[in-house]
Amino acid sequence: MVPIKVMIIEDDETTINIYKKFVQKVDGFEIVASASLGKQALELLNVFTPDLILLDVYLPDMNGTDLLWEIRKEVRSVDVIMITAANDVRTVSEAIRGGAYSYMLKPIMINQFLSTLEQYKETKKKLSQSALIEQGEVNRFFGIMSQAAGAEYVEQTDQLPKGIDKHTLKKVRTHLHEASSSINAEETARATGASNSTVRRYLEYLVAAEEAEVEIMYGTIGRPERRYRKK
């Protein structure tokens, strides 16, 4: 299999190195370039075309969504995943209109990152292997199916990513949907009998699958708490 060529556009060197380590954990991906400025990224795109760009919104010389449109003008064949702290509706809407494959909010959880790359790889593989596709596949690619239909489709077609078991997923999903308010990993672990780390991986998977949304709760002591609620 030819590796999926990835370009990172991010102005923080430490963050770039983190993304590189994350990408190395997923088979079939190869980092081929990185840029800290929008202008630098456009110059690189005049030389070669990656398959996938990991793009931040807050760049020193231009807004990432403006860069997304510039990329679209020059290179239509590249896919873009936005990774940013920008959670305002205007920016998210602009990313959707610009054709971003996915939109991940910082701070990024590694399980969410890996799950998104696995989903992208599977989508790219299916599109390259088929001349025609059915409506169910189209719905999944565009993320417009209902939660129930999505769950049924995934389990029937056995497309769960590595490390996600359908029985544990069902328990976590049920607890999420039956909760009257937001939940955290510890509460879900007690309800399902799984470990905190396992439950957190499944909750992040549901966020990546757009079945759940996450909110960051900042307290006065310790790390911020991630709480989840059904969408």
Side-chain angles (χ1 to χ4, degrees):
M1 176 182 174
V2 178
I4 296 171
K5 300 186 295 294
V6 181
M7 177 178 179
I8 302 172
I9 306 176
E10 161 67 54
D11 67 320
D12 183 80
E13 189 66 31
T14 299
T15 302
I16 290 175
N17 290 331
I18 291 173
Y19 293 166
K20 286 180 178 179
K21 290 180 180 178
F22 284 1
V23 171
Q24 290 171 358
K25 292 180 179 294
V26 186
D27 291 336
F29 288 85
E30 177 188 6
I31 301 291
V32 294
S34 63
S36 58
L37 298 173
K39 181 181 179 181
Q40 180 186 9
L42 292 173
E43 290 174 350
L44 287 171
L45 289 172
N46 286 328
V47 179
F48 72 98
T49 303
D51 301 299
L52 176 66
I53 291 175
L54 305 181
L55 174 60
D56 190 15
V57 168
Y58 299 123
L59 298 172
D61 60 338
M62 69 172 66
N63 186 284
T65 53
D66 293 334
L67 178 57
L68 174 59
W69 285 109
E70 290 297 319
I71 293 171
R72 283 283 168 261
K73 289 180 186 177
E74 302 297 329
V75 187
R76 292 194 176 189
S77 61
V78 67
D79 294 309
V80 177
I81 294 177
M82 309 292 289
I83 307 180
T84 176
N87 62 350
D88 59 284
V89 172
R90 180 182 178 279
T91 301
V92 175
S93 299
E94 195 70 7
I96 293 172
R97 284 192 289 268
Y101 173 82
S102 186
Y103 194 104
M104 291 191 285
L105 291 173
K106 295 179 179 178
I108 298 298
M109 298 288 287
I110 183 171
N111 293 326
Q112 179 190 9
F113 189 100
L114 301 183
S115 176
T116 300
L117 288 188
E118 289 285 4
Q119 290 173 12
Y120 171 77
K121 180 172 67 174
E122 187 64 28
T123 298
K124 190 174 180 65
K125 177 182 177 181
K126 283 186 172 295
L127 289 174
S128 67
Q129 292 177 341
S130 305
L132 299 172
I133 57 176
E134 301 297 328
Q135 184 65 56
E137 286 279 4
V138 173
N139 288 348
R140 189 169 74 89
F141 292 151
F142 281 88
I144 58 177
M145 71 183 73
S146 68
Q147 293 175 1
E152 181 181 2
Y153 178 83
V154 167
E155 289 171 8
Q156 285 182 353
T157 55
D158 206 20
Q159 294 299 321
L160 293 175
K162 184 178 180 180
I164 300 295
D165 171 72
K166 67 179 181 180
H167 301 296
T168 305
L169 177 61
K170 184 176 181 180
K171 290 181 181 180
V172 174
R173 179 185 282 129
T174 299
H175 180 67
L176 174 73
H177 284 263
E178 291 180 348
S180 57
S181 59
S182 64
I183 59 174
N184 63 18
E186 184 178 353
E187 295 162 355
T188 308
R190 288 198 298 266
T192 60
S195 68
N196 285 7
S197 59
T198 296
V199 163
R200 189 174 294 108
R201 182 170 71 251
Y202 282 80
L203 288 170
E204 290 295 337
Y205 169 78
L206 292 174
V207 171
E210 300 185 349
E211 289 188 47
E213 56 188 7
V214 64
E215 56 184 348
I216 310 297
M217 306 295 291
Y218 292 92
T220 56
I221 301 176
R223 298 174 60 186
E225 179 187 17
R226 294 176 70 86
R227 296 194 66 85
Y228 306 82
R229 64 174 70 249
K230 64 182 179 182
K231 295 188 73 172

